[in-house]
């Protein structure tokens, strides 16, 4: 019988992935996964880009390539980041990875030793928690308010905790809460991280999907040292199935991450990278994103309206300025996991919130995705959820 490594004790199946097996049935109204709207994928344009690559550069597209990633794509990402967020990046500051999971995995391998401490928001991205646990690090959650991590709570933890190695944050349209940090809070948290010489991962997959409010510079742009590592993604603005993400960091950090990636998978898919590079060369990505924003804004507004119409007034919920999620806090007497089992019987899926906490789960919380269902389905599904929540309150 195989004797597994000790780190396997920390690994559990992803609740969301298991739930999606059920939610994928056609009769289910699913607000569970962080799924972009499939009907908005630029299929014809991507097909044309792929055909062009194979016709004009097929031998290169089907051959091994560099670990860092396809150079023209890295150059394009660096140029776009410079324009959007005021940086001075080159291709040497960009590493292409297979999805955000691999990006976080590589950074974890780079920085985390056994028993090192990783600080995160409360709640935070479930899959990030699972990645960092793989390295036998200890996760500690920092309390948050509407503006982001609470500085005093971060200071309290740092003053009493040894071996803090990393702060992991999603400051813009956070998964799962949908919250966006204020610019002042970003600066305050960076100042604390700088003072303690702690690395910061700024995960930014949703940043371009803004429906209201004003853009503020990311932490990566305003940091005065090399301790901030940033991730960006094509998954939410183009096609998630292509699994192409990038890491932005100092060139010396990228060099170390490349060495780690060479021991993981050597490189990302050459054809896919070249296909994306051809797509952004021959199409207007900004216009495509604007189309996404128009549709998602309507769906966000429909979701908020449905919550206001059908949910009891005793709940609390976020009103996100962008991204894909609304976070709901139910009355404490309601267990969202139990509610999920009842809602699945009525063909409605969501994600209960307990798994998004590193330490102290709140069982009365739920994450609702609004991007992959149209307004009619949002209204119908939220109406069912509202009825179930009302029934729970009456039964107490």
């Amino acid at each position: 019988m195989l004797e597994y490594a000790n780190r396997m004790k920390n690994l559990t199946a992803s609740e969301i992935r298991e739930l999606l097996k059920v939610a994928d049935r056609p009769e289910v109204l699913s607000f569970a996964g962080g799924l972009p709207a499939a009907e908005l994928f630029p299929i014809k344009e991507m097909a044309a880009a792929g055909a062009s690559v194979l016709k004009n550069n097929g031998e290169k597209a089907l051959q091994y390539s560099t670990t860092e990633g396809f150079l023209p794509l890295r150059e394009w990402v660096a140029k776009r980041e410079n324009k959007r967020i005021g940086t001075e990046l080159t291709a040497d500051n960009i590493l292409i990875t297979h999805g955000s999971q691999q990006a976080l995995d590589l950074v974890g391998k780079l920085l985390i030793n056994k028993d090192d401490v990783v600080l995160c928001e409360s709640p935070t991205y479930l899959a990030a928690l699972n990645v960092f646990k793989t390295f036998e690090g200890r996760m500690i959650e920092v309390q948050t308010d509407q503006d982001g991590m609470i500085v005093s709570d971060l200071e309290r933890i740092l003053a009493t905790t040894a071996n803090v190695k990393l702060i992991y944050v999603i400051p813009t349209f956070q998964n799962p809460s949908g919250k966006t940090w204020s610019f002042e809070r970003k600066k305050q948290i960076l100042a604390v991280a700088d003072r303690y010489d702690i690395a910061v991962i700024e995960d930014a997959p949703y940043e371009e999907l803004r429906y209201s409010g004003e853009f503020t510079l990311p932490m990566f742009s305003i940091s005065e040292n090399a301790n901030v590592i940033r991730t960006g993604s094509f998954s939410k603005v183009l096609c998630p199935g292509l699994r192409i993400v990038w890491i932005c960091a100092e060139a010396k950090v990228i060099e170390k991450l490349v060495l780690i990636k060479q021991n993981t998978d050597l490189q990302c898919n050459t054809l896919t990278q070249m296909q994306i590079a051809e797509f952004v060369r021959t199409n207007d990505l900004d216009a495509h994103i604007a189309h996404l924003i128009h549709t998602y804004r309507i769906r966000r507004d429909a979701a908020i309206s449905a919550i206001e119409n059908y949910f009891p007034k005793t709940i609390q919920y976020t009103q996100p300025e962008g991204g894909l999620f609304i976070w709901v806090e139910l009355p404490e007497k309601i267990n969202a996991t139990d509610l999920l089992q009842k809602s699945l019987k009525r063909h409605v899926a969501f994600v209960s919130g307990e798994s998004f906490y590193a330490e102290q789960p709140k069982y009365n919380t739920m994450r609702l995705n609004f991007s992959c269902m149209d307004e009619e389905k949002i209204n119908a599904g939220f109406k069912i959820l509202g009825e179930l929540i009302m029934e729970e309150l009456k039964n107490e």
Side-chain angles (χ1 to χ4, degrees):
M1 183 176 177
L2 292 176
E3 183 177 348
Y4 298 123
N6 290 336
R7 71 180 67 90
M8 291 302 298
K9 298 175 184 177
N10 296 322
L11 300 185
T12 58
S14 167
E15 177 185 334
I16 297 175
R17 291 296 159 185
E18 294 301 310
L19 179 58
L20 287 180
K21 295 177 184 178
V22 177
D24 197 41
R25 297 200 302 258
E27 71 272 17
V28 175
L29 298 175
S30 179
F31 309 104
L35 303 180
E39 69 272 19
L40 301 181
F41 294 161
I43 295 174
K44 292 181 179 179
E45 294 83 354
M46 289 300 295
S52 176
V53 168
L54 288 172
K55 179 180 178 180
N56 300 313
N57 240 326
E59 290 184 358
K60 186 174 183 180
L62 299 178
Q63 185 57 278
Y64 289 123
S65 185
T66 60
T67 304
E68 291 87 344
F70 183 49
L71 179 59
L73 183 61
R74 290 162 52 224
E75 290 175 336
W76 183 90
V77 168
K79 183 178 179 180
R80 184 174 176 81
E81 291 281 73
N82 292 342
K83 180 181 178 181
R84 286 190 61 251
I85 65 174
T87 48
E88 297 181 357
L89 303 172
T90 70
D92 291 338
N93 301 111
I94 307 296
L95 171 64
I96 304 296
T97 71
H98 274 123
S100 294
Q101 285 300 100
Q102 186 180 65
L104 297 176
D105 180 76
L106 295 177
V107 175
K109 289 175 180 174
L110 177 70
L111 297 176
I112 302 172
N113 294 312
K114 187 177 184 297
D115 297 326
D116 279 345
V117 173
V118 178
L119 304 183
C120 63
E121 296 162 276
S122 176
T124 192
Y125 178 43
L126 167 61
L129 293 176
N130 291 338
V131 167
F132 298 138
K133 288 176 183 177
T134 303
F135 306 107
E136 301 179 86
R138 185 159 66 97
M139 304 295 299
I140 296 179
E141 55 190 25
V142 182
Q143 295 305 306
T144 60
D145 60 18
Q146 198 57 44
D147 290 325
M149 270 188 176
I150 297 174
V151 179
S152 60
D153 197 48
L154 176 62
E155 293 268 23
R156 175 190 62 80
I157 293 170
L158 290 173
T160 57
T161 308
N163 300 325
V164 176
K165 199 67 171 289
L166 180 64
I167 301 174
Y168 170 74
V169 296
I170 313 170
T172 308
F173 319 137
Q174 198 238 21
N175 181 1
S177 72
K179 293 179 181 179
T180 297
W181 291 28
S182 68
F183 185 64
E184 186 62 30
R185 189 65 57 85
K186 293 177 187 177
K187 293 192 294 183
Q188 291 171 342
I189 296 298
L190 276 176
V192 175
D194 290 350
R195 191 164 73 249
Y196 283 87
D197 196 27
I198 298 169
V200 175
I201 298 181
E202 181 182 38
D203 203 359
Y206 313 101
E207 194 173 78
E208 294 200 59
L209 297 177
R210 175 175 286 281
Y211 321 131
S212 58
E214 295 184 2
F215 169 80
T216 62
L217 288 174
M219 300 172 82
F220 186 81
S221 300
I222 60 177
S223 175
E224 297 181 357
N225 65 34
N227 280 6
V228 179
I229 298 173
R230 171 177 165 84
T231 72
S233 176
F234 287 106
S235 292
K236 303 303 185 290
V237 299
L238 200 54
C239 308
L242 298 180
R243 310 305 300 136
I244 296 298
V245 164
W246 63 88
I247 299 174
C248 296
E250 289 288 307
K252 61 184 179 181
V253 175
I254 295 295
E255 289 174 3
K256 296 294 186 184
L257 292 170
V258 167
L259 294 178
I260 298 170
K261 185 169 167 61
Q262 286 173 349
N263 290 317
T264 301
D265 65 358
L266 292 179
Q267 64 158 104
C268 291
N269 184 303
T270 310
L271 173 59
T272 298
Q273 293 181 74
M274 294 180 70
Q275 183 181 16
I276 291 177
E278 178 67 8
F279 175 89
V280 297
R281 186 184 73 82
T282 57
N283 295 274
D284 186 343
L285 181 62
D286 288 331
H288 174 67
I289 293 174
H291 180 48
L292 297 180
I293 288 172
H294 173 74
T295 301
Y296 291 163
R297 179 188 291 119
I298 291 172
R299 294 181 180 183
R300 178 204 60 178
D301 293 347
I304 290 174
S305 178
I307 288 174
E308 292 173 346
N309 288 336
Y310 302 127
F311 287 29
K313 304 305 179 186
T314 51
I315 70 153
Q316 296 180 339
Y317 62 95
T318 56
Q319 299 194 36
E321 295 179 351
L324 307 181
F325 306 110
I326 294 173
W327 183 251
V328 177
E329 188 166 331
L330 304 166
E332 289 189 7
K333 63 180 70 174
I334 299 179
N335 184 303
T337 300
D338 294 340
L339 182 69
L340 174 61
Q341 299 309 310
K342 296 177 181 178
S343 73
L344 288 174
K345 292 179 181 178
R346 296 186 62 178
H347 306 304
V348 176
F350 63 87
V351 179
S352 57
E354 63 185 86
S355 297
F356 294 98
Y357 291 91
E359 295 181 289
Q360 300 177 14
K362 292 185 178 181
Y363 296 96
N364 61 323
T365 56
M366 56 196 295
R367 190 191 74 177
L368 298 173
N369 167 268
F370 55 80
S371 58
C372 68
M373 292 281 153
D374 62 30
E375 301 91 273
E376 183 179 347
K377 291 178 179 177
I378 289 171
N379 189 71
F382 280 37
K383 185 174 187 293
I384 291 171
L385 287 176
E387 291 170 355
L388 290 170
I389 295 169
M390 292 292 195
E391 289 174 10
E392 290 293 301
L393 291 176
K394 290 178 182 178
N395 291 335
E396 289 296 328

